[in-house]
Each structure stands twice: as C-alpha cells, then as structure tokens.
C-alpha cells in the first residue's frame, strides 16, 4: 500500500501554516504543522517525515539551529521558506544542510 508523503511545516505564522496545510493536503501530501522548533521536536519523535518546510525567523530556536538539529538526525529534504532575502542567509541555510531556499 502506497502512502502519501509526509511534510512537516515549521513556521510561526498561523495563516501561512494553514495555507500550506490546505494546499499541500489538496495535492496529495500528509501535512503536519508546528509553530517553532520545540513543537517540531515533539512531532519529530512520533513521526517520520519525507520533507521539512522551515522558516528562519521564529521565537526561541531559529530555523538555522533547527536545521542543524534535523540534519544530525535525518536526511530528509529541507526547504527554507522565509522572509529573509540576504545572500548571506541563503548561503548559511544551504551550508547548514538546507536543500533549497525560497523567499516569501
């Protein structure tokens, strides 16, 4: 039995989380959401995810640190989806193990 890929969206903006949950869900993905790295950790221990969509600017642990923690545990694709547009942020995100970087 084939299962739909699981995507975890980590972003502190509830409207964006809801938009991504609906859009990706309508396109065949199982979508889980969390508002920050701590909430993501609680989901991470219970589920296996096929991909991670990650914001950089979140309260508490930022997306760079969250990416580093995920990379130490798993090799799933990580897509940064963030308002940060500086070239240095793109380079840092990809250098820490992000697979792609999109700006909001």
């Amino acid at each position: 039995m084939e299962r739909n890929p699981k995507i975890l969206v980590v972003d502190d903006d509830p409207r964006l989380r809801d938009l991504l949950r609906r859009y990706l869900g309508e396109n065949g993905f199982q979508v889980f959401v969390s508002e920050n790295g701590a909430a993501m950790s609680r989901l991470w221990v219970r589920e296996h995810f096929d991909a991670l969509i990650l914001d950089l600017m979140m309260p508490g642990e930022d997306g760079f640190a969250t990416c580093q923690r995920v990379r130490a545990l798993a090799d799933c694709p990580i897509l940064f989806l963030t308002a940060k547009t500086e070239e240095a942020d793109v380079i840092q995100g990809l250098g820490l193990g992000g697979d792609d970087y999109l700006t909001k």
Side-chain angles (χ1 to χ4, degrees):
M1 182 170 104
E2 190 174 316
R3 70 170 177 84
N4 294 353
K6 291 182 184 178
I7 296 179
L8 176 56
V9 176
V10 184
D11 196 299
D12 61 333
D13 182 342
R15 292 174 298 165
L16 183 62
R17 287 193 313 263
D18 186 54
L19 175 69
L20 289 170
R21 180 194 337 237
R22 284 186 289 126
Y23 178 78
L24 293 169
E26 290 170 359
N27 286 282
F29 296 93
Q30 294 181 63
V31 183
F32 296 74
V33 297
S34 66
E35 66 274 7
N36 56 43
M40 180 209 76
S41 294
R42 290 188 293 276
L43 284 170
W44 198 266
V45 297
R46 296 190 329 247
E47 298 287 340
H48 165 81
F49 294 101
D50 298 297
L52 176 63
I53 298 175
L54 183 59
D55 187 17
L56 284 180
M57 298 182 294
M58 296 181 291
E61 181 180 73
D62 70 13
F64 292 132
T66 302
C67 178
Q68 284 184 295
R69 276 196 310 114
V70 168
R71 271 296 163 248
L73 302 170
D75 194 30
C76 73
I78 298 174
L79 168 67
F80 286 107
L81 180 61
T82 182
K84 294 188 86 159
T85 61
E86 297 294 319
E87 185 176 340
D89 295 319
V90 176
I91 291 168
Q92 183 177 1
L94 297 176
L96 291 172
D99 293 286
D100 208 345
Y101 192 106
L102 297 173
T103 57
K104 296 178 183 177

